[in-house]
Amino acid sequence: TNNKFPNGWSPVTSLKDDASVKWIGIWRNMSGGMGGVSPDHTMTNLADHLMPKTVYRCSGPQKAVQEEPALIVKPDPASSLAFYEEMIGNTLAGGFDFVKVDFQTCNFWMYAGTGNAVHSAHRNNQVLEAVCKTRGVPLLNCISQCSVNVFNTRYSVIARASVDIKLDLPEENMKRTIQSFANNMWWGDLLTGDLDMYHTGNQTTAQYLTIARAVSGGPVYISDLPKEFNADLIGRVIFNDGKIIRALAPAVPLPDSLFSDGKKTCYRVIAPTRCKSCAIAAFNFSDQAELTGTISEKDYPCAAAKEQPFDGLWPIPADGLVVFDQEAQTGARLNEDYTYTVNRMNGKLFTLAPVQEGWAVIGRADKYLGGCTYTIKSCSKNQLELTLDESGPFIIYHATQKPETSEGTVVELGNDFYRIDLPTGKNGKTLTLGFSGRRI
């Protein structure tokens, strides 16, 4: 706290209430500040645990490396413990509920020339984790992509999956989105990737960045001024109460995208959703105005890639699959490859759902991740009973006839897909579907 917050943090954190803002977190730097701990710090209780060091200040790739005098945590267990106890204790004293610790990958730079720099950073990561666990403070890891950080996430489960998303770097943002999903492939068993904050009001990039976050399984947070919020995009990834609609595991590249050049081909990722359905996101990060892509049955087993526990790739359902385009609101039985087009710097989101007793469930029509908006209570040839997390327009498929509904209106979409129009907003809604002459 400084002259910006002369009365400390309580005037901010005391504004929390369960009806609006439930939790407030604080940003911290793993090393104290961008260039270590300031020589002018006021933490007198840490005097014996800090030592002088000329450090490399973290700077952008186009800037000259800067060296400056600073203090770093002494490379011993007692000093690591004292420093992170102070950091997390101060977090709690300020009224914060969680902590975001940034520039973890830079921590070992601070120890250049002191002996074993990697071991010092390794110990700091372990101590930070342990203190957060002991003090009950959830930890969000940021800029922590190197192995000394990743493999010390014993208790935390979220980490930034790439470097920053920038408002004025649309081409870089595409590369960073690819980097995020590629990172999920090697660390997705340990961590869920955080694709970083972004601007929903940016008409150039907001659409595909929102789709990427919808399938990521991770947090969604935005940088816009409130007057610039894109309410339509935000509404596609949350329920009315603000809860994020999350995939069951981190999305990963499909085999044909894992080692392909994302600037030349349609880049595709897959994530598992509920009831053995899955989501496939397809992006055009190329220089071409439009790309053509396909979805086939062979994509479906890969949805299990990061499931825990991992029980093997999913078998293709005996009764087959349907595919539904969440944007176009059209679908098809996946008897052969499904072909689509996607515009440059755009994404498309598809739901693949298994056919069971003639039924397939897509989910909320107005959400990107419809497959995570319901549970199936029972399914037979004559009746399908669902529980909806939140009521709203809902998509189902039936192979032979138009179903009737216990509530709402059934609208035909073509190719045996139907939308059930329901009022939006009722939590835990039960919906029953069946046929004339049958009790529903």
Side-chain angles (χ1 to χ4, degrees):
T1 54
N2 51 26
N3 57 355
K4 279 184 163 183
F5 300 94
N7 299 312
W9 295 118
S10 60
V12 177
T13 56
S14 64
L15 297 175
K16 291 183 294 184
D17 68 84
D18 285 343
S20 54
V21 178
K22 294 185 178 182
W23 309 286
I24 297 179
I26 188 170
W27 181 96
R28 301 287 193 185
N29 189 296
M30 183 74 176
S31 303
M34 295 300 290
V37 176
S38 168
D40 299 323
H41 75 91
T42 57
M43 301 177 290
T44 54
N45 56 317
L46 290 181
D48 292 338
H49 299 292
L50 301 171
M51 68 180 195
K53 177 76 166 58
T54 299
V55 301
Y56 297 106
R57 171 181 278 273
C58 296
S59 60
Q62 307 304 320
K63 300 176 183 176
V65 173
Q66 301 173 359
E67 291 184 333
E68 60 184 32
L71 298 170
I72 64 171
V73 180
K74 287 182 178 179
D76 63 68
S79 295
S80 291
L81 182 60
F83 184 77
Y84 292 107
E85 283 280 9
E86 176 74 12
M87 177 185 286
I88 302 307
N90 182 273
T91 295
L92 288 170
F96 296 100
D97 304 284
F98 66 96
V99 63
K100 176 176 180 175
V101 178
D102 204 349
F103 292 99
Q104 297 184 27
T105 54
C106 303
N107 187 244
F108 76 92
W109 298 1
M110 305 291 169
Y111 293 95
T114 63
N116 191 331
V118 172
H119 185 264
S120 295
H122 162 84
R123 178 172 49 240
N124 286 343
N125 269 262
Q126 288 197 332
V127 171
L128 172 65
E129 286 271 329
V131 171
C132 285
K133 173 70 172 177
T134 301
R135 303 295 292 270
V137 177
L139 169 62
L140 173 63
N141 300 289
C142 184
I143 306 299
S144 54
Q145 295 93 355
C146 73
S147 57
V148 72
N149 309 124
V150 170
F151 293 119
N152 279 308
T153 52
R154 183 170 298 177
Y155 306 113
S156 59
V157 295
I158 303 288
R160 275 282 296 279
S162 74
V163 292
D164 296 4
I165 296 295
K166 297 288 189 180
L167 177 64
D168 55 349
L169 296 176
E171 300 292 330
E172 286 297 315
N173 290 342
M174 293 191 291
K175 296 176 185 177
R176 292 168 189 190
T177 301
I178 292 173
Q179 180 190 33
S180 294
F181 290 122
N183 277 341
N184 280 350
M185 197 69 204
W186 75 270
W187 75 15
D189 301 302
L190 302 172
L191 294 163
T192 295
D194 159 19
L195 273 62
D196 194 25
M197 62 180 72
Y198 73 113
H199 294 78
T200 63
N202 184 334
Q203 296 184 3
T204 303
T205 60
Q207 189 263 2
Y208 81 80
L209 290 176
T210 305
I211 287 177
R213 280 145 189 78
V215 297
S216 72
V220 180
Y221 50 114
I222 58 182
S223 302
D224 306 272
L225 294 172
K227 66 181 181 180
E228 295 171 356
F229 287 168
N230 185 322
D232 177 63
L233 284 178
I234 296 169
R236 290 174 183 267
V237 296
I238 60 173
F239 292 117
N240 281 359
D241 62 3
K243 183 178 180 181
I244 297 171
I245 305 168
R246 294 179 56 211
L248 303 186
V252 294
L254 280 157
D256 60 341
S257 291
L258 183 56
F259 295 113
S260 68
D261 185 344
K263 291 286 289 179
K264 295 181 179 178
T265 60
C266 188
Y267 188 78
R268 305 187 306 144
V269 299
I270 190 167
T273 50
R274 298 181 190 170
C275 304
K276 293 300 183 182
S277 65
C278 64
I280 292 178
F283 303 95
N284 180 352
F285 295 146
S286 76
D287 295 326
Q288 300 179 47
E290 184 178 87
L291 281 178
T292 299
T294 58
I295 294 173
S296 70
E297 280 190 341
K298 67 181 181 181
D299 295 324
Y300 177 78
C302 300
K306 295 300 170 182
E307 275 196 315
Q308 292 187 16
F310 179 69
D311 295 322
L313 299 181
W314 288 356
I316 295 173
D319 293 337
L321 294 159
V322 296
V323 58
F324 190 80
D325 182 329
Q326 293 290 151
E327 180 183 54
Q329 294 286 288
T330 59
R333 190 77 177 242
L334 200 57
N335 296 323
E336 56 188 26
D337 287 357
Y338 180 86
T339 302
Y340 59 88
T341 59
V342 57
N343 294 332
R344 185 176 188 271
M345 215 175 290
N346 266 250
K348 281 199 170 183
L349 200 50
F350 303 91
T351 297
L352 271 62
V355 179
Q356 179 183 2
E357 303 288 359
W359 304 91
V361 184
I362 303 303
R364 282 283 292 268
D366 54 344
K367 306 301 181 184
Y368 276 142
L369 217 61
C372 282
T373 62
Y374 67 91
T375 54
I376 297 175
K377 294 184 68 176
S378 64
C379 180
S380 67
K381 290 184 182 296
N382 298 316
Q383 183 172 287
L384 174 67
E385 188 174 10
L386 305 167
T387 300
L388 313 186
D389 290 39
E390 177 190 88
S391 63
F394 201 85
I395 307 293
I396 62 99
Y397 165 93
H398 194 274
T400 59
Q401 57 185 308
K402 179 180 179 179
E404 297 176 354
T405 177
S406 59
E407 192 170 338
T409 305
V410 181
V411 179
E412 295 189 44
L413 300 179
N415 288 343
D416 301 319
F417 287 87
Y418 303 91
R419 187 182 71 241
I420 317 302
D421 284 340
L422 295 166
T424 300
K426 185 173 182 179
N427 294 335
K429 180 71 178 175
T430 297
L431 181 67
T432 305
L433 301 163
F435 303 103
S436 296
R438 303 282 182 179
R439 178 175 172 271
I440 65 169

